[in-house]
Amino acid sequence: MSFTEEEIEEFLKRPIHISKVVVDGVSRTKDDLIKDVFTQFFNIHTCEEYLKTAQDVQTLLNGLSVTKGVQVLLDDESDSTLSVKVNLTERSRWSGGIKGFLGNDQDATMGVGGGLNINGLFPNLFGRAEKVSCCWIKALTNHRKELVFTKPMQPHLSSFIGGSLFNYSGNVTLSGYKENNSGVSLDLTVPRGFFSHKVSWQGVWRRLLPFNNQTCFAVREQAGHSLKSSLKYELVYDDRDDFIMPSNGKLLRISQELAGFGGDAKFYSKQLVVQLNKSLFNDDRVVVQLGANVGHIQPLNLFKNNSKGVSIMDKFYLGGPTSLRGFQNKGIGPRERDNALGADMFWQLSAHLRLSLPGVRGGILDKFKPQLFVNCGNATNYSTEEPLRDNLRRNINTMRVSYGAGIVTNFVGVKMELNYCVPFKFQVQDKIKHGLQFGVSVGD
């Protein structure tokens, strides 16, 4: 049976009234959460609103890890009155898995790392969509253990509170040190309009050790224990149609961190990320992407006894196959001997043109996209002895530029790219990468 556009439009505008909602399949989930989710059905007035609400409810419950299946049906009560019948399939009390992974690792060979991830999930723990997850991750150069708790805030269920306990240890060979960090975090995430706001506190006990006897003195003098207690705020706007290889949409992320509420790390850090994506000719086969990334960190003298400055663990690094292409990982910025020391400020601009293989539509070959790119940026330390104008002029005059072409693909949620890179402008101390460069990333 087929319908004309006029018949479909008439159906969508048809007025309806929901008299009751019947929910079956509920076992562990509390009644107040069910009411918060399904009360919105009583506010709909047309078939179009019903279809949208049914889809929203399924997405919400599955996203909260309460259900693994939601079936929403309409049942006639009378000519103008309808009831909604919902069949839920709740998730099991726990789940887990073991899997290998591939991702960024700036201190692994070629900047690509992998490892083993053993994880567990305890969804809907107390019946109000509380969730506890744990993981044990062993990668080539690092090891991570983490326990995370999250809970949606009723009645809207779009805001979340959470916390975590974690331990991370690894070798940061490109900077010449090992680290071992143990900490706790608390966070609150609140969406408002088009934006998401996240406020978090993190307390971390950190231990830094020289990697070997070749580690430079600038790193050795920072060795030992430190304690960081910081407040973070993050504002995000993201309407991209895909997180890995978007064709349309915009991303704005503003991050700020203030450290010094206890402990001996005392700094103020801010970072801005902007990304614009646009498909040309109303066709996803030709996509332009423009990006900008800017950051600055400074020690805070308003705290007493702050003579340490900013730790190498908190500074910015630039360069790599998914950062400023044509340079090695951490290949740009201050360094001593062969150790990257990090920078107080950095900026990066990028332009990408992503195409489709000619004559290919659909199939596995269509997942491989040729791309052209131009990147530029810099990472330097801020000199307090110079005015801001001179710092900015020096930063621009010594900027790095690279360009190239390659192939990029989305492989099971991981962005993989192989590029031929040409460093066009660089400094003598930089670690450049002329030729083929392979990179893996999972976001932005």
Side-chain angles (χ1 to χ4, degrees):
M1 181 179 294
S2 59
F3 299 93
T4 65
E5 291 186 8
E6 291 78 10
E7 290 174 327
I8 295 176
E9 185 175 350
E10 181 181 353
F11 169 77
L12 292 176
K13 293 182 178 179
R14 174 189 169 190
I16 60 174
H17 173 69
I18 304 297
S19 61
K20 65 179 180 180
V21 178
V22 180
V23 183
D24 292 329
V26 178
S27 176
R28 304 197 321 272
T29 308
K30 302 297 185 182
D31 290 345
D32 55 343
L33 181 71
I34 294 296
K35 291 178 181 178
D36 289 340
V37 172
F38 291 101
T39 299
Q40 55 189 307
F41 275 106
F42 297 112
N43 298 325
I44 66 177
H45 302 93
T46 66
C47 288
E48 184 176 14
E49 291 178 359
Y50 161 77
L51 293 174
K52 183 180 183 304
T53 302
Q55 181 63 47
D56 290 345
V57 164
Q58 295 178 43
T59 302
L60 175 61
L61 287 174
N62 291 336
L64 292 174
S65 299
V66 173
T67 62
K68 60 181 179 181
V70 182
Q71 185 182 39
V72 183
L73 303 171
L74 273 179
D75 191 18
D76 290 333
E77 291 284 317
S78 65
D79 291 340
S80 59
T81 303
L82 302 170
S83 65
V84 174
K85 185 175 182 180
V86 182
N87 296 314
L88 301 181
T89 304
E90 292 184 328
R91 295 193 59 161
S92 59
R93 292 184 179 274
W94 68 274
S95 62
I98 302 175
K99 61 182 179 181
F101 66 90
L102 186 68
N104 277 336
D105 189 342
Q106 288 195 331
D107 290 281
T109 304
M110 297 174 62
V112 179
L116 183 68
N117 183 344
I118 302 176
N119 59 81
L121 175 66
F122 301 87
N124 203 17
L125 197 61
F126 305 114
R128 293 185 173 88
E130 305 90 347
K131 180 167 59 178
V132 171
S133 61
C134 56
C135 68
W136 181 91
I137 300 173
K138 177 62 176 177
L140 293 176
T141 62
N142 58 69
H143 179 203
R144 184 177 184 89
K145 294 168 284 186
E146 188 171 27
L147 179 69
V148 180
F149 172 82
T150 58
K151 174 177 171 44
M153 298 177 65
Q154 294 176 258
H156 301 296
L157 302 174
S158 57
S159 301
F160 291 84
I161 57 174
S164 69
L165 299 171
F166 59 89
N167 172 264
Y168 171 86
S169 60
N171 299 330
V172 189
T173 54
L174 295 180
S175 293
Y177 67 88
K178 310 174 190 176
E179 62 179 332
N180 191 314
N181 303 330
S182 299
V184 58
S185 69
L186 302 171
D187 57 78
L188 169 66
T189 303
V190 180
R192 281 293 179 268
F194 298 107
F195 297 92
S196 172
H197 305 264
K198 182 177 181 179
V199 179
S200 61
W201 170 82
Q202 187 180 78
V204 190
W205 171 48
R206 311 186 293 186
R207 187 186 184 193
L208 185 151
L209 293 172
F211 183 71
N212 55 32
N213 57 11
Q214 301 299 316
T215 299
C216 69
F217 179 75
V219 176
R220 288 178 177 277
E221 67 178 353
Q222 299 185 50
H225 297 270
S226 65
L227 179 64
K228 184 178 83 166
S229 173
S230 67
L231 282 176
K232 296 182 180 180
Y233 169 73
E234 184 176 78
L235 179 146
V236 177
Y237 171 87
D238 191 352
D239 67 353
R240 296 174 298 171
D241 55 6
D242 186 74
F243 296 139
I244 306 299
M245 290 174 56
S247 299
N248 288 285
K250 301 170 289 294
L251 167 68
L252 170 67
R253 181 186 296 115
I254 300 173
S255 306
Q256 300 179 81
E257 181 178 8
L258 179 62
F261 301 94
D264 45 14
K266 300 175 174 65
F267 62 83
Y268 174 54
S269 174
K270 54 269 189 189
Q271 187 172 356
L272 169 68
V273 177
V274 178
Q275 186 185 102
L276 303 176
N277 302 276
K278 178 65 177 177
S279 58
L280 304 182
F281 317 118
N282 296 319
D283 191 341
D284 290 349
R285 298 178 65 81
V286 181
V287 178
V288 172
Q289 181 184 88
L290 303 177
N293 194 350
V294 182
H296 179 242
I297 187 170
Q298 64 187 83
L300 288 184
N301 297 321
L302 57 92
F303 294 98
K304 294 181 179 179
N305 303 320
N306 185 26
S307 58
K308 284 189 173 182
V310 178
S311 168
I312 190 174
M313 293 186 284
D314 299 310
K315 291 198 171 187
F316 296 110
Y317 297 89
L318 187 61
T322 59
S323 171
L324 210 163
R325 296 159 181 81
F327 295 83
Q328 296 181 24
N329 287 307
K330 299 185 178 181
I332 300 171
R335 58 194 321 111
E336 183 175 316
R337 293 185 187 175
D338 220 21
N339 300 143
L341 302 180
D344 296 335
M345 58 182 180
F346 85 100
W347 62 273
Q348 178 186 351
L349 301 177
S350 62
H352 292 246
L353 178 64
R354 193 170 72 241
L355 309 169
S356 294
L357 293 171
V360 177
R361 286 187 177 271
I364 191 170
L365 285 179
D366 201 30
K367 297 182 180 295
F368 292 86
K369 307 290 186 181
Q371 71 170 352
L372 305 173
F373 67 87
V374 177
N375 297 161
C376 66
N378 204 352
T380 61
N381 283 329
Y382 184 86
S383 175
T384 56
E385 299 177 356
E386 300 177 5
L388 176 61
R389 180 186 303 176
D390 291 345
N391 275 279
L392 294 177
R393 183 183 295 114
R394 172 169 49 85
N395 205 298
I396 294 175
N397 290 339
T398 59
M399 73 175 179
R400 282 71 161 178
V401 181
S402 67
Y403 61 88
I407 293 287
V408 59
T409 185
N410 182 347
F411 180 72
V412 293
V414 176
K415 183 180 178 181
M416 305 176 68
E417 53 185 292
L418 178 64
N419 297 306
Y420 187 89
C421 306
V422 180
F424 177 72
K425 187 176 181 181
F426 51 90
Q427 302 298 313
V428 65
Q429 74 273 16
D430 293 342
K431 300 289 186 178
I432 65 173
K433 179 66 175 177
H434 191 128
L436 291 177
Q437 192 173 31
F438 178 68
V440 178
S441 61
V442 292
D444 290 357

